Amino acid sequence: MAIREILTVADHAAILKQVSEPVARVDDDLRALMDDMLETMYDAPGIGLAAIQVGVAKRVIVMDLAREGEDKQPRYFVNPEILWRSEDTLPYEEGCLSIPEIYDEVDRPARVRVRYLNYQGEQVEEEAEGLFAVCIQHEMDHLEGVLFIDYLSRLKRDRAVQKVKKLVRSAA
Ligand code: ZN
Protein backbone atom coordinates (compact mmCIF):
# COMPACT_ATOMS: atom_id res chain seq x y z
CA MET A 1 0.00 0.00 0.00
CA ALA A 2 1.09 3.53 -0.64
CA ILE A 3 -0.11 7.01 0.14
CA ARG A 4 -0.84 8.92 -3.04
CA GLU A 5 -0.99 12.65 -3.65
CA ILE A 6 -4.47 14.12 -3.29
CA LEU A 7 -5.15 16.59 -6.10
CA THR A 8 -6.71 19.91 -5.11
CA VAL A 9 -8.64 22.56 -7.00
CA ALA A 10 -5.63 24.85 -6.54
CA ASP A 11 -3.63 23.26 -9.34
CA HIS A 12 -5.54 20.23 -10.65
CA ALA A 13 -9.00 21.64 -11.30
CA ALA A 14 -9.04 20.32 -14.89
CA ILE A 15 -8.37 16.72 -13.78
CA LEU A 16 -11.02 16.94 -11.05
CA LYS A 17 -13.56 18.02 -13.70
CA GLN A 18 -13.06 14.83 -15.73
CA VAL A 19 -15.83 12.26 -15.97
CA SER A 20 -14.53 8.90 -14.71
CA GLU A 21 -14.75 5.68 -16.74
CA PRO A 22 -16.58 2.53 -15.62
CA VAL A 23 -14.37 -0.29 -14.32
CA ALA A 24 -14.38 -3.44 -16.50
CA ARG A 25 -13.70 -5.86 -13.66
CA VAL A 26 -12.66 -5.94 -10.04
CA ASP A 27 -9.22 -7.59 -10.06
CA ASP A 28 -6.04 -7.43 -7.97
CA ASP A 29 -4.84 -4.29 -9.76
CA LEU A 30 -8.07 -2.51 -8.88
CA ARG A 31 -7.90 -3.80 -5.30
CA ALA A 32 -4.35 -2.40 -5.06
CA LEU A 33 -5.71 0.99 -6.17
CA MET A 34 -8.51 0.76 -3.58
CA ASP A 35 -5.97 -0.16 -0.85
CA ASP A 36 -3.86 2.88 -1.76
CA MET A 37 -6.93 5.11 -1.82
CA LEU A 38 -8.03 3.92 1.62
CA GLU A 39 -4.58 4.49 3.11
CA THR A 40 -4.43 7.93 1.49
CA MET A 41 -7.87 8.79 2.88
CA TYR A 42 -6.97 7.65 6.43
CA ASP A 43 -3.73 9.62 6.26
CA ALA A 44 -5.45 12.86 5.16
CA PRO A 45 -7.64 12.21 7.26
CA GLY A 46 -11.00 12.03 5.53
CA ILE A 47 -14.16 9.89 5.39
CA GLY A 48 -14.47 9.44 1.61
CA LEU A 49 -12.27 9.56 -1.48
CA ALA A 50 -12.93 9.10 -5.20
CA ALA A 51 -10.23 7.74 -7.52
CA ILE A 52 -10.12 10.95 -9.58
CA GLN A 53 -8.87 12.73 -6.44
CA VAL A 54 -5.64 10.75 -6.79
CA GLY A 55 -5.65 11.32 -10.56
CA VAL A 56 -7.23 8.02 -11.64
CA ALA A 57 -10.36 8.52 -13.80
CA LYS A 58 -12.11 5.29 -12.74
CA ARG A 59 -15.50 4.94 -11.10
CA VAL A 60 -14.13 3.88 -7.70
CA ILE A 61 -14.84 5.27 -4.22
CA VAL A 62 -13.57 4.36 -0.76
CA MET A 63 -15.22 5.43 2.47
CA ASP A 64 -15.09 4.90 6.23
CA LEU A 65 -17.75 6.49 8.41
CA ALA A 66 -16.62 4.95 11.71
CA ARG A 67 -16.62 7.42 14.58
CA GLU A 68 -13.54 8.13 16.64
CA GLY A 69 -12.83 5.19 18.95
CA GLU A 70 -14.82 2.74 16.80
CA ASP A 71 -13.19 -0.02 14.78
CA LYS A 72 -12.40 0.86 11.19
CA GLN A 73 -15.22 0.20 8.72
CA PRO A 74 -13.67 0.46 5.25
CA ARG A 75 -16.16 0.43 2.38
CA TYR A 76 -15.51 0.18 -1.34
CA PHE A 77 -17.80 1.19 -4.19
CA VAL A 78 -17.05 0.27 -7.80
CA ASN A 79 -19.29 1.55 -10.63
CA PRO A 80 -21.89 2.89 -8.15
CA GLU A 81 -25.32 3.89 -9.46
CA ILE A 82 -28.15 5.70 -7.71
CA LEU A 83 -31.38 3.75 -8.28
CA TRP A 84 -33.66 6.00 -6.25
CA ARG A 85 -33.56 9.34 -4.42
CA SER A 86 -35.94 10.50 -1.69
CA GLU A 87 -38.00 13.65 -2.19
CA ASP A 88 -36.99 15.00 1.21
CA THR A 89 -33.59 16.57 1.51
CA LEU A 90 -30.95 16.88 4.20
CA PRO A 91 -28.76 19.97 4.50
CA TYR A 92 -25.25 19.10 5.61
CA GLU A 93 -22.05 21.08 5.99
CA GLU A 94 -19.68 19.37 3.56
CA GLY A 95 -15.96 19.45 3.09
CA CYS A 96 -13.65 17.82 0.54
CA LEU A 97 -10.04 16.64 0.61
CA SER A 98 -9.57 18.34 -2.78
CA ILE A 99 -10.82 21.66 -1.35
CA PRO A 100 -9.03 21.71 2.02
CA GLU A 101 -10.37 23.84 4.89
CA ILE A 102 -13.51 24.92 3.02
CA TYR A 103 -16.87 23.87 4.47
CA ASP A 104 -20.33 24.86 3.33
CA GLU A 105 -23.87 23.61 3.43
CA VAL A 106 -25.25 21.53 0.56
CA ASP A 107 -28.81 20.25 0.33
CA ARG A 108 -29.13 16.71 -1.08
CA PRO A 109 -31.76 13.95 -1.06
CA ALA A 110 -31.89 12.57 2.48
CA ARG A 111 -31.96 8.94 1.34
CA VAL A 112 -30.77 7.15 -1.77
CA ARG A 113 -30.75 3.57 -2.97
CA VAL A 114 -27.40 2.58 -4.49
CA ARG A 115 -26.08 -0.39 -6.45
CA TYR A 116 -22.36 -1.06 -6.77
CA LEU A 117 -19.65 -3.72 -6.82
CA ASN A 118 -17.78 -4.27 -3.56
CA TYR A 119 -14.10 -5.13 -2.89
CA GLN A 120 -14.74 -8.72 -3.95
CA GLY A 121 -16.54 -7.64 -7.13
CA GLU A 122 -19.95 -8.74 -5.81
CA GLN A 123 -23.00 -6.68 -6.66
CA VAL A 124 -24.59 -4.99 -3.65
CA GLU A 125 -27.76 -2.93 -3.37
CA GLU A 126 -28.52 -0.89 -0.27
CA GLU A 127 -30.27 2.17 1.04
CA ALA A 128 -28.20 5.02 2.43
CA GLU A 129 -29.35 7.68 4.87
CA GLY A 130 -27.76 10.29 7.13
CA LEU A 131 -24.04 10.81 6.71
CA PHE A 132 -23.78 7.75 4.46
CA ALA A 133 -26.28 9.30 2.02
CA VAL A 134 -24.43 12.63 2.07
CA CYS A 135 -21.05 11.00 1.55
CA ILE A 136 -22.00 8.59 -1.25
CA GLN A 137 -23.69 11.39 -3.20
CA HIS A 138 -20.70 13.72 -2.67
CA GLU A 139 -18.27 11.02 -3.82
CA MET A 140 -20.43 9.98 -6.78
CA ASP A 141 -20.45 13.62 -7.92
CA HIS A 142 -16.65 13.36 -8.19
CA LEU A 143 -17.14 10.58 -10.76
CA GLU A 144 -19.04 13.13 -12.89
CA GLY A 145 -16.45 15.86 -12.33
CA VAL A 146 -18.73 17.74 -9.94
CA LEU A 147 -17.49 19.29 -6.69
CA PHE A 148 -19.62 20.37 -3.72
CA ILE A 149 -18.60 24.01 -4.28
CA ASP A 150 -20.33 23.77 -7.68
CA TYR A 151 -23.62 23.93 -5.73
CA LEU A 152 -22.63 27.23 -4.10
CA SER A 153 -22.98 30.71 -5.57
CA ARG A 154 -20.33 31.73 -8.06
CA LEU A 155 -18.95 34.24 -5.58
CA LYS A 156 -18.59 31.65 -2.80
CA ARG A 157 -17.05 29.15 -5.23
CA ASP A 158 -14.45 31.60 -6.57
CA ARG A 159 -13.60 32.66 -3.05
CA ALA A 160 -13.15 29.01 -1.98
CA VAL A 161 -10.77 28.30 -4.88
CA GLN A 162 -8.74 31.44 -4.10
CA LYS A 163 -8.47 30.38 -0.44
CA VAL A 164 -7.27 26.90 -1.39
CA LYS A 165 -4.72 28.35 -3.80
CA LYS A 166 -3.34 30.56 -1.04
CA LEU A 167 -3.28 27.61 1.38
CA VAL A 168 -1.47 25.32 -1.07
CA ARG A 169 1.03 28.06 -1.95
CA SER A 170 1.87 28.73 1.70
CA ALA A 171 2.30 24.97 2.35
CA ALA A 172 4.75 24.61 -0.57
ZN1 ZN B 1 -14.80 15.46 -2.27
Side-chain angles (χ1 to χ4, degrees), residues 127-157:
E127 200 168 306
E129 61 175 7
L131 181 58
F132 181 23
V134 172
C135 196
I136 192 71
Q137 291 178 85
H138 172 118
E139 299 308 329
M140 284 182 68
D141 271 353
H142 276 300
L143 308 183
E144 306 302 329
V146 174
L147 302 168
F148 85 89
I149 54 172
D150 294 337
Y151 295 104
L152 309 179
S153 70
R154 196 199 174 102
L155 181 71
K156 273 189 168 182
R157 187 165 63 237

PDB file of all heavy atoms in Angstrom, residues 127-157:
ATOM      1  N   GLU A 127     -29.751   0.824   0.869  1.00  0.00           N
ATOM      2  CA  GLU A 127     -30.267   2.169   1.039  1.00  0.00           C
ATOM      3  C   GLU A 127     -29.343   2.928   1.978  1.00  0.00           C
ATOM      4  O   GLU A 127     -28.893   2.383   2.978  1.00  0.00           O
ATOM      5  CB  GLU A 127     -31.696   2.125   1.585  1.00  0.00           C
ATOM      6  CG  GLU A 127     -32.425   3.427   1.322  1.00  0.00           C
ATOM      7  CD  GLU A 127     -33.932   3.312   1.585  1.00  0.00           C
ATOM      8  OE1 GLU A 127     -34.573   2.416   1.024  1.00  0.00           O
ATOM      9  OE2 GLU A 127     -34.430   4.139   2.372  1.00  0.00           O
ATOM     10  N   ALA A 128     -29.064   4.177   1.603  1.00  0.00           N
ATOM     11  CA  ALA A 128     -28.198   5.020   2.430  1.00  0.00           C
ATOM     12  C   ALA A 128     -29.015   6.153   3.002  1.00  0.00           C
ATOM     13  O   ALA A 128     -29.878   6.703   2.322  1.00  0.00           O
ATOM     14  CB  ALA A 128     -27.052   5.573   1.584  1.00  0.00           C
ATOM     15  N   GLU A 129     -28.717   6.503   4.272  1.00  0.00           N
ATOM     16  CA  GLU A 129     -29.350   7.682   4.866  1.00  0.00           C
ATOM     17  C   GLU A 129     -28.332   8.360   5.771  1.00  0.00           C
ATOM     18  O   GLU A 129     -27.257   7.824   6.019  1.00  0.00           O
ATOM     19  CB  GLU A 129     -30.621   7.299   5.636  1.00  0.00           C
ATOM     20  CG  GLU A 129     -30.381   6.353   6.785  1.00  0.00           C
ATOM     21  CD  GLU A 129     -31.648   6.085   7.601  1.00  0.00           C
ATOM     22  OE1 GLU A 129     -32.733   6.526   7.196  1.00  0.00           O
ATOM     23  OE2 GLU A 129     -31.522   5.440   8.636  1.00  0.00           O
ATOM     24  N   GLY A 130     -28.670   9.567   6.247  1.00  0.00           N
ATOM     25  CA  GLY A 130     -27.762  10.288   7.135  1.00  0.00           C
ATOM     26  C   GLY A 130     -26.437  10.591   6.451  1.00  0.00           C
ATOM     27  O   GLY A 130     -26.391  10.867   5.253  1.00  0.00           O
ATOM     28  N   LEU A 131     -25.367  10.485   7.237  1.00  0.00           N
ATOM     29  CA  LEU A 131     -24.036  10.814   6.711  1.00  0.00           C
ATOM     30  C   LEU A 131     -23.659   9.923   5.534  1.00  0.00           C
ATOM     31  O   LEU A 131     -22.990  10.359   4.587  1.00  0.00           O
ATOM     32  CB  LEU A 131     -22.992  10.687   7.836  1.00  0.00           C
ATOM     33  CG  LEU A 131     -21.550  11.021   7.449  1.00  0.00           C
ATOM     34  CD1 LEU A 131     -21.419  12.442   6.898  1.00  0.00           C
ATOM     35  CD2 LEU A 131     -20.616  10.842   8.651  1.00  0.00           C
ATOM     36  N   PHE A 132     -24.075   8.666   5.567  1.00  0.00           N
ATOM     37  CA  PHE A 132     -23.777   7.747   4.460  1.00  0.00           C
ATOM     38  C   PHE A 132     -24.380   8.277   3.151  1.00  0.00           C
ATOM     39  O   PHE A 132     -23.724   8.287   2.101  1.00  0.00           O
ATOM     40  CB  PHE A 132     -24.318   6.350   4.807  1.00  0.00           C
ATOM     41  CG  PHE A 132     -24.055   5.288   3.762  1.00  0.00           C
ATOM     42  CD1 PHE A 132     -23.025   5.405   2.840  1.00  0.00           C
ATOM     43  CD2 PHE A 132     -24.853   4.138   3.729  1.00  0.00           C
ATOM     44  CE1 PHE A 132     -22.789   4.406   1.881  1.00  0.00           C
ATOM     45  CE2 PHE A 132     -24.626   3.147   2.782  1.00  0.00           C
ATOM     46  CZ  PHE A 132     -23.598   3.286   1.856  1.00  0.00           C
ATOM     47  N   ALA A 133     -25.622   8.763   3.222  1.00  0.00           N
ATOM     48  CA  ALA A 133     -26.277   9.300   2.023  1.00  0.00           C
ATOM     49  C   ALA A 133     -25.552  10.547   1.515  1.00  0.00           C
ATOM     50  O   ALA A 133     -25.336  10.708   0.306  1.00  0.00           O
ATOM     51  CB  ALA A 133     -27.748   9.623   2.315  1.00  0.00           C
ATOM     52  N   VAL A 134     -25.162  11.413   2.451  1.00  0.00           N
ATOM     53  CA  VAL A 134     -24.427  12.630   2.069  1.00  0.00           C
ATOM     54  C   VAL A 134     -23.126  12.249   1.369  1.00  0.00           C
ATOM     55  O   VAL A 134     -22.800  12.729   0.285  1.00  0.00           O
ATOM     56  CB  VAL A 134     -24.103  13.494   3.325  1.00  0.00           C
ATOM     57  CG1 VAL A 134     -23.169  14.643   2.970  1.00  0.00           C
ATOM     58  CG2 VAL A 134     -25.383  14.017   3.962  1.00  0.00           C
ATOM     59  N   CYS A 135     -22.387  11.342   2.018  1.00  0.00           N
ATOM     60  CA  CYS A 135     -21.046  10.997   1.551  1.00  0.00           C
ATOM     61  C   CYS A 135     -21.081  10.281   0.196  1.00  0.00           C
ATOM     62  O   CYS A 135     -20.302  10.611  -0.703  1.00  0.00           O
ATOM     63  CB  CYS A 135     -20.356  10.138   2.608  1.00  0.00           C
ATOM     64  SG  CYS A 135     -18.581  10.030   2.374  1.00  0.00           S
ATOM     65  N   ILE A 136     -21.983   9.340   0.027  1.00  0.00           N
ATOM     66  CA  ILE A 136     -21.999   8.593  -1.246  1.00  0.00           C
ATOM     67  C   ILE A 136     -22.392   9.521  -2.397  1.00  0.00           C
ATOM     68  O   ILE A 136     -21.842   9.426  -3.501  1.00  0.00           O
ATOM     69  CB  ILE A 136     -22.895   7.319  -1.168  1.00  0.00           C
ATOM     70  CG1 ILE A 136     -22.670   6.412  -2.392  1.00  0.00           C
ATOM     71  CG2 ILE A 136     -24.383   7.635  -1.053  1.00  0.00           C
ATOM     72  CD1 ILE A 136     -21.363   5.715  -2.438  1.00  0.00           C
ATOM     73  N   GLN A 137     -23.299  10.461  -2.137  1.00  0.00           N
ATOM     74  CA  GLN A 137     -23.685  11.393  -3.199  1.00  0.00           C
ATOM     75  C   GLN A 137     -22.550  12.369  -3.512  1.00  0.00           C
ATOM     76  O   GLN A 137     -22.292  12.692  -4.678  1.00  0.00           O
ATOM     77  CB  GLN A 137     -24.958  12.152  -2.809  1.00  0.00           C
ATOM     78  CG  GLN A 137     -26.181  11.235  -2.777  1.00  0.00           C
ATOM     79  CD  GLN A 137     -27.431  11.980  -2.339  1.00  0.00           C
ATOM     80  OE1 GLN A 137     -28.097  12.605  -3.150  1.00  0.00           O
ATOM     81  NE2 GLN A 137     -27.737  11.929  -1.052  1.00  0.00           N
ATOM     82  N   HIS A 138     -21.853  12.822  -2.482  1.00  0.00           N
ATOM     83  CA  HIS A 138     -20.704  13.718  -2.672  1.00  0.00           C
ATOM     84  C   HIS A 138     -19.626  13.003  -3.505  1.00  0.00           C
ATOM     85  O   HIS A 138     -19.111  13.556  -4.475  1.00  0.00           O
ATOM     86  CB  HIS A 138     -20.159  14.130  -1.287  1.00  0.00           C
ATOM     87  CG  HIS A 138     -18.870  14.901  -1.317  1.00  0.00           C
ATOM     88  ND1 HIS A 138     -18.767  16.191  -0.843  1.00  0.00           N
ATOM     89  CD2 HIS A 138     -17.624  14.570  -1.758  1.00  0.00           C
ATOM     90  CE1 HIS A 138     -17.513  16.611  -1.013  1.00  0.00           C
ATOM     91  NE2 HIS A 138     -16.800  15.639  -1.553  1.00  0.00           N
ATOM     92  N   GLU A 139     -19.329  11.754  -3.118  1.00  0.00           N
ATOM     93  CA  GLU A 139     -18.273  11.016  -3.824  1.00  0.00           C
ATOM     94  C   GLU A 139     -18.698  10.666  -5.249  1.00  0.00           C
ATOM     95  O   GLU A 139     -17.883  10.698  -6.171  1.00  0.00           O
ATOM     96  CB  GLU A 139     -17.888   9.750  -3.054  1.00  0.00           C
ATOM     97  CG  GLU A 139     -17.327   9.979  -1.654  1.00  0.00           C
ATOM     98  CD  GLU A 139     -16.175  10.971  -1.606  1.00  0.00           C
ATOM     99  OE1 GLU A 139     -15.419  11.054  -2.587  1.00  0.00           O
ATOM    100  OE2 GLU A 139     -16.061  11.682  -0.593  1.00  0.00           O
ATOM    101  N   MET A 140     -19.970  10.318  -5.427  1.00  0.00           N
ATOM    102  CA  MET A 140     -20.433   9.978  -6.778  1.00  0.00           C
ATOM    103  C   MET A 140     -20.412  11.204  -7.689  1.00  0.00           C
ATOM    104  O   MET A 140     -20.196  11.074  -8.888  1.00  0.00           O
ATOM    105  CB  MET A 140     -21.816   9.333  -6.730  1.00  0.00           C
ATOM    106  CG  MET A 140     -21.713   7.870  -6.253  1.00  0.00           C
ATOM    107  SD  MET A 140     -23.307   7.037  -6.220  1.00  0.00           S
ATOM    108  CE  MET A 140     -23.682   6.942  -7.966  1.00  0.00           C
ATOM    109  N   ASP A 141     -20.602  12.385  -7.124  1.00  0.00           N
ATOM    110  CA  ASP A 141     -20.452  13.615  -7.916  1.00  0.00           C
ATOM    111  C   ASP A 141     -19.042  13.713  -8.493  1.00  0.00           C
ATOM    112  O   ASP A 141     -18.857  14.152  -9.632  1.00  0.00           O
ATOM    113  CB  ASP A 141     -20.715  14.848  -7.037  1.00  0.00           C
ATOM    114  CG  ASP A 141     -22.184  15.253  -7.004  1.00  0.00           C
ATOM    115  OD1 ASP A 141     -22.976  14.662  -7.756  1.00  0.00           O
ATOM    116  OD2 ASP A 141     -22.520  16.171  -6.229  1.00  0.00           O
ATOM    117  N   HIS A 142     -18.043  13.307  -7.698  1.00  0.00           N
ATOM    118  CA  HIS A 142     -16.653  13.358  -8.190  1.00  0.00           C
ATOM    119  C   HIS A 142     -16.504  12.539  -9.476  1.00  0.00           C
ATOM    120  O   HIS A 142     -15.723  12.896 -10.355  1.00  0.00           O
ATOM    121  CB  HIS A 142     -15.691  12.788  -7.140  1.00  0.00           C
ATOM    122  CG  HIS A 142     -15.265  13.766  -6.091  1.00  0.00           C
ATOM    123  ND1 HIS A 142     -14.592  14.927  -6.370  1.00  0.00           N
ATOM    124  CD2 HIS A 142     -15.423  13.744  -4.746  1.00  0.00           C
ATOM    125  CE1 HIS A 142     -14.338  15.578  -5.238  1.00  0.00           C
ATOM    126  NE2 HIS A 142     -14.838  14.879  -4.239  1.00  0.00           N
ATOM    127  N   LEU A 143     -17.252  11.438  -9.572  1.00  0.00           N
ATOM    128  CA  LEU A 143     -17.145  10.582 -10.757  1.00  0.00           C
ATOM    129  C   LEU A 143     -17.672  11.294 -12.003  1.00  0.00           C
ATOM    130  O   LEU A 143     -17.345  10.918 -13.125  1.00  0.00           O
ATOM    131  CB  LEU A 143     -17.913   9.261 -10.554  1.00  0.00           C
ATOM    132  CG  LEU A 143     -17.583   8.480  -9.265  1.00  0.00           C
ATOM    133  CD1 LEU A 143     -18.357   7.168  -9.231  1.00  0.00           C
ATOM    134  CD2 LEU A 143     -16.092   8.220  -9.147  1.00  0.00           C
ATOM    135  N   GLU A 144     -18.504  12.323 -11.779  1.00  0.00           N
ATOM    136  CA  GLU A 144     -19.039  13.129 -12.895  1.00  0.00           C
ATOM    137  C   GLU A 144     -18.265  14.443 -13.046  1.00  0.00           C
ATOM    138  O   GLU A 144     -18.657  15.309 -13.833  1.00  0.00           O
ATOM    139  CB  GLU A 144     -20.529  13.451 -12.662  1.00  0.00           C
ATOM    140  CG  GLU A 144     -21.412  12.247 -12.403  1.00  0.00           C
ATOM    141  CD  GLU A 144     -21.365  11.223 -13.530  1.00  0.00           C
ATOM    142  OE1 GLU A 144     -21.172  11.613 -14.693  1.00  0.00           O
ATOM    143  OE2 GLU A 144     -21.505  10.022 -13.226  1.00  0.00           O
ATOM    144  N   GLY A 145     -17.221  14.614 -12.251  1.00  0.00           N
ATOM    145  CA  GLY A 145     -16.452  15.859 -12.334  1.00  0.00           C
ATOM    146  C   GLY A 145     -17.102  17.018 -11.609  1.00  0.00           C
ATOM    147  O   GLY A 145     -16.810  18.181 -11.890  1.00  0.00           O
ATOM    148  N   VAL A 146     -17.998  16.697 -10.678  1.00  0.00           N
ATOM    149  CA  VAL A 146     -18.728  17.741  -9.941  1.00  0.00           C
ATOM    150  C   VAL A 146     -18.197  17.830  -8.505  1.00  0.00           C
ATOM    151  O   VAL A 146     -17.990  16.804  -7.853  1.00  0.00           O
ATOM    152  CB  VAL A 146     -20.245  17.437  -9.931  1.00  0.00           C
ATOM    153  CG1 VAL A 146     -20.995  18.422  -9.043  1.00  0.00           C
ATOM    154  CG2 VAL A 146     -20.795  17.461 -11.356  1.00  0.00           C
ATOM    155  N   LEU A 147     -17.964  19.056  -8.046  1.00  0.00           N
ATOM    156  CA  LEU A 147     -17.488  19.292  -6.685  1.00  0.00           C
ATOM    157  C   LEU A 147     -18.594  19.939  -5.863  1.00  0.00           C
ATOM    158  O   LEU A 147     -19.470  20.592  -6.425  1.00  0.00           O
ATOM    159  CB  LEU A 147     -16.273  20.231  -6.721  1.00  0.00           C
ATOM    160  CG  LEU A 147     -15.091  19.723  -7.554  1.00  0.00           C
ATOM    161  CD1 LEU A 147     -14.073  20.831  -7.760  1.00  0.00           C
ATOM    162  CD2 LEU A 147     -14.440  18.513  -6.894  1.00  0.00           C
ATOM    163  N   PHE A 148     -18.519  19.799  -4.528  1.00  0.00           N
ATOM    164  CA  PHE A 148     -19.616  20.370  -3.720  1.00  0.00           C
ATOM    165  C   PHE A 148     -19.690  21.890  -3.849  1.00  0.00           C
ATOM    166  O   PHE A 148     -20.769  22.471  -3.736  1.00  0.00           O
ATOM    167  CB  PHE A 148     -19.540  19.908  -2.249  1.00  0.00           C
ATOM    168  CG  PHE A 148     -18.650  20.719  -1.352  1.00  0.00           C
ATOM    169  CD1 PHE A 148     -19.146  21.826  -0.678  1.00  0.00           C
ATOM    170  CD2 PHE A 148     -17.318  20.385  -1.168  1.00  0.00           C
ATOM    171  CE1 PHE A 148     -18.333  22.589   0.165  1.00  0.00           C
ATOM    172  CE2 PHE A 148     -16.505  21.135  -0.339  1.00  0.00           C
ATOM    173  CZ  PHE A 148     -17.000  22.245   0.327  1.00  0.00           C
ATOM    174  N   ILE A 149     -18.548  22.540  -4.136  1.00  0.00           N
ATOM    175  CA  ILE A 149     -18.601  24.008  -4.280  1.00  0.00           C
ATOM    176  C   ILE A 149     -19.342  24.419  -5.561  1.00  0.00           C
ATOM    177  O   ILE A 149     -19.732  25.575  -5.696  1.00  0.00           O
ATOM    178  CB  ILE A 149     -17.195  24.658  -4.240  1.00  0.00           C
ATOM    179  CG1 ILE A 149     -16.269  24.024  -5.279  1.00  0.00           C
ATOM    180  CG2 ILE A 149     -16.598  24.578  -2.845  1.00  0.00           C
ATOM    181  CD1 ILE A 149     -14.932  24.761  -5.412  1.00  0.00           C
ATOM    182  N   ASP A 150     -19.546  23.465  -6.469  1.00  0.00           N
ATOM    183  CA  ASP A 150     -20.330  23.772  -7.682  1.00  0.00           C
ATOM    184  C   ASP A 150     -21.793  24.065  -7.345  1.00  0.00           C
ATOM    185  O   ASP A 150     -22.512  24.634  -8.168  1.00  0.00           O
ATOM    186  CB  ASP A 150     -20.253  22.613  -8.688  1.00  0.00           C
ATOM    187  CG  ASP A 150     -18.843  22.433  -9.234  1.00  0.00           C
ATOM    188  OD1 ASP A 150     -18.071  23.407  -9.205  1.00  0.00           O
ATOM    189  OD2 ASP A 150     -18.506  21.312  -9.673  1.00  0.00           O
ATOM    190  N   TYR A 151     -22.237  23.661  -6.148  1.00  0.00           N
ATOM    191  CA  TYR A 151     -23.620  23.931  -5.731  1.00  0.00           C
ATOM    192  C   TYR A 151     -23.744  25.309  -5.078  1.00  0.00           C
ATOM    193  O   TYR A 151     -24.851  25.771  -4.809  1.00  0.00           O
ATOM    194  CB  TYR A 151     -24.105  22.866  -4.738  1.00  0.00           C
ATOM    195  CG  TYR A 151     -24.209  21.485  -5.333  1.00  0.00           C
ATOM    196  CD1 TYR A 151     -23.256  20.511  -5.064  1.00  0.00           C
ATOM    197  CD2 TYR A 151     -25.264  21.167  -6.188  1.00  0.00           C
ATOM    198  CE1 TYR A 151     -23.348  19.247  -5.619  1.00  0.00           C
ATOM    199  CE2 TYR A 151     -25.363  19.903  -6.745  1.00  0.00           C
ATOM    200  CZ  TYR A 151     -24.401  18.952  -6.455  1.00  0.00           C
ATOM    201  OH  TYR A 151     -24.492  17.702  -7.009  1.00  0.00           O
ATOM    202  N   LEU A 152     -22.604  25.939  -4.779  1.00  0.00           N
ATOM    203  CA  LEU A 152     -22.635  27.232  -4.100  1.00  0.00           C
ATOM    204  C   LEU A 152     -22.732  28.353  -5.132  1.00  0.00           C
ATOM    205  O   LEU A 152     -22.591  28.122  -6.329  1.00  0.00           O
ATOM    206  CB  LEU A 152     -21.365  27.407  -3.255  1.00  0.00           C
ATOM    207  CG  LEU A 152     -21.023  26.261  -2.293  1.00  0.00           C
ATOM    208  CD1 LEU A 152     -19.737  26.566  -1.552  1.00  0.00           C
ATOM    209  CD2 LEU A 152     -22.164  26.007  -1.312  1.00  0.00           C
ATOM    210  N   SER A 153     -22.939  29.571  -4.660  1.00  0.00           N
ATOM    211  CA  SER A 153     -22.978  30.713  -5.572  1.00  0.00           C
ATOM    212  C   SER A 153     -21.602  30.870  -6.216  1.00  0.00           C
ATOM    213  O   SER A 153     -20.589  30.417  -5.666  1.00  0.00           O
ATOM    214  CB  SER A 153     -23.335  31.976  -4.802  1.00  0.00           C
ATOM    215  OG  SER A 153     -22.258  32.342  -3.947  1.00  0.00           O
ATOM    216  N   ARG A 154     -21.580  31.535  -7.349  1.00  0.00           N
ATOM    217  CA  ARG A 154     -20.325  31.735  -8.058  1.00  0.00           C
ATOM    218  C   ARG A 154     -19.312  32.468  -7.174  1.00  0.00           C
ATOM    219  O   ARG A 154     -18.123  32.144  -7.153  1.00  0.00           O
ATOM    220  CB  ARG A 154     -20.610  32.534  -9.333  1.00  0.00           C
ATOM    221  CG  ARG A 154     -19.467  32.449 -10.290  1.00  0.00           C
ATOM    222  CD  ARG A 154     -19.458  33.533 -11.324  1.00  0.00           C
ATOM    223  NE  ARG A 154     -18.221  33.393 -12.068  1.00  0.00           N
ATOM    224  CZ  ARG A 154     -18.149  32.837 -13.259  1.00  0.00           C
ATOM    225  NH1 ARG A 154     -19.222  32.407 -13.860  1.00  0.00           N
ATOM    226  NH2 ARG A 154     -16.982  32.720 -13.874  1.00  0.00           N
ATOM    227  N   LEU A 155     -19.818  33.440  -6.452  1.00  0.00           N
ATOM    228  CA  LEU A 155     -18.949  34.245  -5.579  1.00  0.00           C
ATOM    229  C   LEU A 155     -18.291  33.366  -4.519  1.00  0.00           C
ATOM    230  O   LEU A 155     -17.077  33.399  -4.325  1.00  0.00           O
ATOM    231  CB  LEU A 155     -19.786  35.338  -4.907  1.00  0.00           C
ATOM    232  CG  LEU A 155     -19.014  36.268  -3.977  1.00  0.00           C
ATOM    233  CD1 LEU A 155     -18.094  37.187  -4.769  1.00  0.00           C
ATOM    234  CD2 LEU A 155     -19.969  37.092  -3.124  1.00  0.00           C
ATOM    235  N   LYS A 156     -19.105  32.529  -3.857  1.00  0.00           N
ATOM    236  CA  LYS A 156     -18.586  31.646  -2.804  1.00  0.00           C
ATOM    237  C   LYS A 156     -17.585  30.645  -3.386  1.00  0.00           C
ATOM    238  O   LYS A 156     -16.581  30.321  -2.761  1.00  0.00           O
ATOM    239  CB  LYS A 156     -19.739  30.872  -2.162  1.00  0.00           C
ATOM    240  CG  LYS A 156     -20.410  31.603  -1.024  1.00  0.00           C
ATOM    241  CD  LYS A 156     -21.378  30.661  -0.339  1.00  0.00           C
ATOM    242  CE  LYS A 156     -21.882  31.218   0.982  1.00  0.00           C
ATOM    243  NZ  LYS A 156     -22.785  30.280   1.645  1.00  0.00           N
ATOM    244  N   ARG A 157     -17.905  30.156  -4.586  1.00  0.00           N
ATOM    245  CA  ARG A 157     -17.049  29.153  -5.233  1.00  0.00           C
ATOM    246  C   ARG A 157     -15.687  29.764  -5.574  1.00  0.00           C
ATOM    247  O   ARG A 157     -14.648  29.192  -5.281  1.00  0.00           O
ATOM    248  CB  ARG A 157     -17.754  28.643  -6.496  1.00  0.00           C
ATOM    249  CG  ARG A 157     -17.047  27.495  -7.167  1.00  0.00           C
ATOM    250  CD  ARG A 157     -17.959  26.812  -8.167  1.00  0.00           C
ATOM    251  NE  ARG A 157     -18.349  27.701  -9.253  1.00  0.00           N
ATOM    252  CZ  ARG A 157     -19.614  27.994  -9.588  1.00  0.00           C
ATOM    253  NH1 ARG A 157     -20.612  27.460  -8.926  1.00  0.00           N
ATOM    254  NH2 ARG A 157     -19.866  28.800 -10.589  1.00  0.00           N
TER     255      ARG A 157
END
